[in-house]
Amino acid sequence: MNASDGIEHLHKVARLNEIDLIIGTHALFSGRYVLEAGLPYLLIFAGTDLNEFSLDEASLSVMTSAVEGSAGLIVLNEDFQIRCTELWPHVREKLHKIPQAIWTKPSAFSLRENLGLPTDAKLILLPSGLRPIKDPLYSFRAINAWHEQDPRIHLVIAGTSYDEDFEGIVMRRIASSKGIHYAGAILPENLHASMCEATALINTSISECSPNSVLEAMELQCPVIVRDIPGNTCVVQNESTGLVFSTPDELREQGQRLLDDKMLAQELGRNGLEFVSKFHNLNDERAAYLTLIESLGTYPSSCLKGRAPMRERMIELNDVVICAEMFGNPEDPAVLLIAGASDSMLFWDSEFCSRMAGGGRYVIRYDHRDTGRSTAYPPGQPPYTLRNLAADATALLNCLNVTTAHLVGVSMGGMIVQIAALMSPEVVNSLTLFSSSPGDLNPEEPDLPSPTLRVSIALDDIVEPDWADKGSVVDYLVAVQRCLASDTREFDDAGKRSLARDVFDRSDGKIRSMRNHNSIEWGDPWRGRLAEITAPTLIIHGKRDQVNQVPHAEALARGIPQSKMLLLKDAGHELAPADWGQVLTAILQHTS
């Protein structure tokens, strides 16, 4: 993508998602774009911008403009802070030191097995992209001699190739060496597993920002041996949290010390973990960024009043735009939460989503068409079907680069989950069907009863609101929720009113369109195909549900082969906070 295309794309994304503040990494690579974005921005220095590109007059000119135009500048360590003040002493007041946080989650991957190495192999792990700045060739002579002395020694380089010519040089050197291997790019969780397996992790870079893989290894108590450069020695204290070398021969000597002295290796591991936990933890990083953003004054806080949070994203799916919000780490197993008829993403309370994300899940909630901030159509004229809504769910995952996910749907959302599992089984890891139904309300099949007479009459008695009047609409939405709630619990009127006000505010004057879901076509019945669903299925249902009564859940359990059922004693057609603990535990176990 050239510069003009990149700037145009940034403008489009910022406009579509109502972005108020941009955070860019690298004063040159990001700086050239954020300068033209027309929005306030923060810049995070990446290392090569300060140590390499600053030596080039043209690059320095671009970075100077970006630095001077920024709302704030972020450095990851003291060395970078010093370098910044040398280059731009007049922006000293903009500088904020925020150490980089790290997060690890090792998989069951074995690098030793993957490369076919002996079980007694001593792995020296070098996470390094193939480019000159990382200088992977620096260690080859010493490692080659070390391997000849001790054949158990194997250096493994893991990383992406960024330079085809340099890659060719490295591969030729590997071919003529002994005990040196290139594993290519591997997934982060597999790299973390490799760190757990390695005797040591090394860093041979000529220049570093904040060496992420070194910090990750330290958290996993893998001893680190790093080249004596400022970026490394900012995080590794020699003989305390790791070992430092200045020559290839010193690298070999330090590595041999770890083999000879197990107590040293263990002590370095413990100290490294303690250091990372104290200075590079996620909570402190989040708090520092939040404090910085809030300190900026009129933006973004005042800009967000009455608007969606910045973490919501507007995503184009062919002819519709869907609003989605994500919680947690994208590297975790994805869980897609699908609301019921006429409900937006707000059905799934943000605290509920955060608690699920805290259980190690990447949680995605979104607005259906005709709800929230997603595409809306004129009332009574929905040009889509239930199957289109199911296609929206899988298309959304694709746009978020999520290949597979656990689908959780409530009521009509549970029907969407069933259809998605039948239409796109390769996408679905598991199903959770909450207060749902197999959907075939055939009078000749009495095992699927209609809503109780009490609920039917109560819903019919609710007066049509003035859709333009917020108070009237809030009263209407609360009355509907009162009908759906359990009849054995006290109704949370204040909580439901607060939710209803948020639903109204996010609808941007299109609140009436949410009722379009009541008139969409369902298409051909799918109950007879439930046996085709092969993914594990959890069915959660309230015993006091008077909309889809318990026989609907029982029909799902009979129809889906790998299914199990959880009945909530006092729950109605709802997800009440009183049930969150039981529901979250069940879903986290089901999706583990």
Side-chain angles (χ1 to χ4, degrees):
M1 182 182 294
N2 60 42
S4 61
D5 288 341
I7 293 169
E8 182 180 350
H9 178 69
L10 184 58
H11 274 289
K12 180 179 180 181
V13 171
R15 184 176 61 255
L16 187 62
N17 290 281
E18 300 183 51
I19 289 173
D20 296 295
L21 178 73
I22 297 173
I23 301 179
T25 300
H26 204 285
L28 178 61
F29 298 155
S30 291
R32 61 177 59 149
Y33 294 112
V34 296
L35 267 172
E36 306 294 333
L39 287 170
Y41 61 88
L42 300 173
L43 278 179
I44 304 173
F45 290 103
T48 54
D49 44 8
L50 295 175
N51 296 330
E52 293 181 57
F53 290 102
S54 62
L55 305 178
D56 175 74
E57 186 175 343
S59 298
L60 180 61
S61 176
V62 173
M63 291 194 292
T64 298
S65 297
V67 164
E68 292 175 343
S70 70
L73 303 167
I74 298 167
V75 293
L76 305 181
N77 56 54
E78 290 184 6
D79 285 333
F80 284 8
Q81 192 166 7
I82 293 169
R83 178 61 175 155
C84 276
T85 55
E86 291 174 350
L87 291 170
W88 304 288
H90 56 295
V91 298
R92 186 188 304 269
E93 297 302 315
K94 288 186 181 182
L95 286 176
H96 304 269
K97 189 180 78 168
I98 303 179
Q100 178 184 9
I102 52 92
W103 179 89
T104 59
K105 187 177 182 181
S107 68
F109 175 81
S110 170
L111 184 61
R112 185 182 282 106
E113 291 179 8
N114 186 263
L115 295 175
L117 298 177
T119 56
D120 65 344
K122 303 298 181 182
L123 302 184
I124 310 299
L125 183 62
L126 173 57
S128 170
L130 298 190
R131 48 181 175 151
I133 191 69
K134 294 299 182 181
D135 202 12
L137 298 175
Y138 181 86
S139 64
F140 276 27
R141 180 182 59 80
I143 294 292
N144 200 37
W146 194 10
H147 176 80
E148 288 185 355
Q149 179 188 18
D150 184 349
R152 297 176 303 164
I153 302 301
H154 291 267
L155 173 69
V156 181
I157 305 170
T160 302
S161 173
Y162 295 96
D163 184 322
E164 186 175 337
D165 293 335
F166 187 70
E167 177 189 1
I169 295 171
V170 173
M171 298 311 292
R172 285 193 294 273
R173 288 286 302 276
I174 289 176
S176 62
S177 301
K178 296 179 180 179
I180 301 177
H181 316 267
Y182 176 53
I186 60 178
L187 294 172
E189 59 267 31
N190 291 347
L191 181 60
H192 297 157
S194 303
M195 293 174 183
C196 296
E197 202 176 9
T199 296
L201 178 140
I202 66 172
N203 180 294
T204 59
S205 296
I206 296 171
S207 173
E208 272 290 358
C209 172
S210 178
N212 191 63
S213 60
V214 170
L215 292 169
E216 290 173 338
M218 290 166 72
E219 182 177 69
L220 295 169
Q221 300 190 60
C222 171
V224 297
I225 311 175
V226 301
R227 192 169 180 173
D228 189 2
I229 58 170
N232 283 336
T233 53
C234 275
V235 298
V236 177
Q237 182 179 353
N238 192 35
E239 304 290 339
S240 174
T241 57
L243 300 175
V244 177
F245 64 89
S246 300
T247 68
D249 287 337
E250 284 185 10
L251 164 61
R252 175 183 172 184
E253 291 168 5
Q254 298 285 43
Q256 189 62 51
R257 287 181 63 199
L258 292 179
L259 289 180
D260 295 340
D261 189 345
K262 296 294 188 295
M263 295 293 291
L264 172 64
Q266 292 173 5
E267 182 181 359
L268 295 177
R270 287 193 300 269
N271 292 345
L273 173 60
E274 181 180 354
F275 174 84
V276 170
S277 300
K278 185 174 181 180
F279 297 108
H280 295 272
N281 66 79
L282 286 170
N283 289 335
D284 287 352
E285 184 189 53
R286 289 192 187 106
Y289 275 95
L290 286 173
T291 299
L292 171 57
I293 291 171
E294 288 299 320
S295 74
L296 299 181
T298 57
Y299 54 82
S301 299
S302 64
C303 299
L304 290 175
K305 290 181 179 178
R307 287 179 42 184
M310 289 175 66
R311 62 185 175 187
E312 289 186 7
R313 285 181 54 189
M314 303 301 292
I315 299 170
E316 295 182 87
L317 308 180
N318 298 320
D319 59 337
V320 298
V321 174
I322 296 295
C323 180
E325 183 176 19
M326 283 62 72
F327 299 76
N329 192 316
E331 300 298 329
D332 283 336
V335 176
L336 181 65
L337 302 178
I338 306 177
S342 301
D343 277 326
S344 70
M345 68 165 72
L346 297 188
F347 174 88
W348 308 100
D349 191 278
S350 60
E351 183 182 343
F352 177 87
C353 297
S354 296
R355 286 171 61 177
M356 184 180 292
R361 302 293 183 272
Y362 180 48
V363 180
I364 306 162
R365 66 176 185 174
Y366 70 99
D367 294 326
H368 291 298
R369 306 187 197 197
D370 279 322
T371 71
R373 301 176 67 211
S374 292
T375 294
Y377 303 94
Q381 302 178 42
Y384 57 87
T385 67
L386 190 63
R387 279 169 168 73
N388 292 134
L389 295 183
D392 287 348
T394 54
L396 173 63
L397 293 173
N398 183 60
C399 286
L400 294 174
N401 296 317
V402 174
T403 54
T404 62
H406 302 279
L407 305 191
V408 179
V410 62
S411 193
M412 184 192 76
M415 299 179 189
I416 290 172
V417 169
Q418 296 167 56
I419 294 171
L422 292 168
M423 292 171 54
S424 306
E426 71 284 355
V427 175
V428 181
N429 288 330
S430 76
L431 296 75
T432 298
L433 308 176
F434 194 103
S435 298
S436 196
S437 169
D440 189 8
L441 302 182
N442 189 334
E444 298 179 2
E445 299 200 42
D447 64 327
L448 295 181
S450 300
T452 65
L453 183 61
R454 184 191 74 83
V455 166
S456 298
I457 293 174
L459 289 171
D460 287 341
D461 285 346
I462 300 175
V463 178
E464 180 89 1
D466 175 357
W467 292 101
D469 180 75
K470 181 175 179 178
S472 178
V473 172
V474 167
D475 288 342
Y476 170 81
L477 294 176
V478 171
V480 170
Q481 291 303 311
R482 190 183 296 274
C483 293
L484 306 181
S486 170
D487 58 359
T488 63
R489 289 174 172 162
E490 182 178 353
F491 181 70
D492 181 15
D493 186 87
K496 293 301 182 185
R497 286 190 179 277
S498 177
L499 173 61
R501 287 191 288 268
D502 290 342
V503 168
F504 183 91
D505 290 342
R506 291 183 74 253
S507 68
D508 194 24
K510 300 173 290 188
I511 187 71
R512 188 177 180 184
S513 294
M514 72 180 198
R515 300 212 305 182
N516 282 343
H517 289 177
N518 297 332
S519 57
I520 63 175
E521 294 290 334
W522 286 10
D524 294 334
W526 65 88
R527 184 178 182 184
R529 297 183 57 199
L530 290 179
E532 298 175 30
I533 297 176
T534 57
T537 301
L538 172 64
I539 300 161
I540 304 177
H541 217 88
K543 288 187 175 182
R544 309 301 299 180
D545 190 334
Q546 298 185 56
V547 178
N548 292 329
Q549 298 182 61
V550 172
H552 290 255
E554 294 171 340
L556 288 169
R558 288 194 303 271
I560 301 175
Q562 294 191 66
S563 64
K564 54 186 178 182
M565 186 160 59
L566 170 64
L567 293 179
L568 304 175
K569 180 182 177 182
D570 292 311
H573 195 74
E574 60 185 338
L575 177 54
D579 296 314
W580 285 4
Q582 194 173 1
V583 170
L584 283 168
T585 298
I587 292 176
L588 290 173
Q589 289 176 349
H590 179 59
T591 58
S592 63

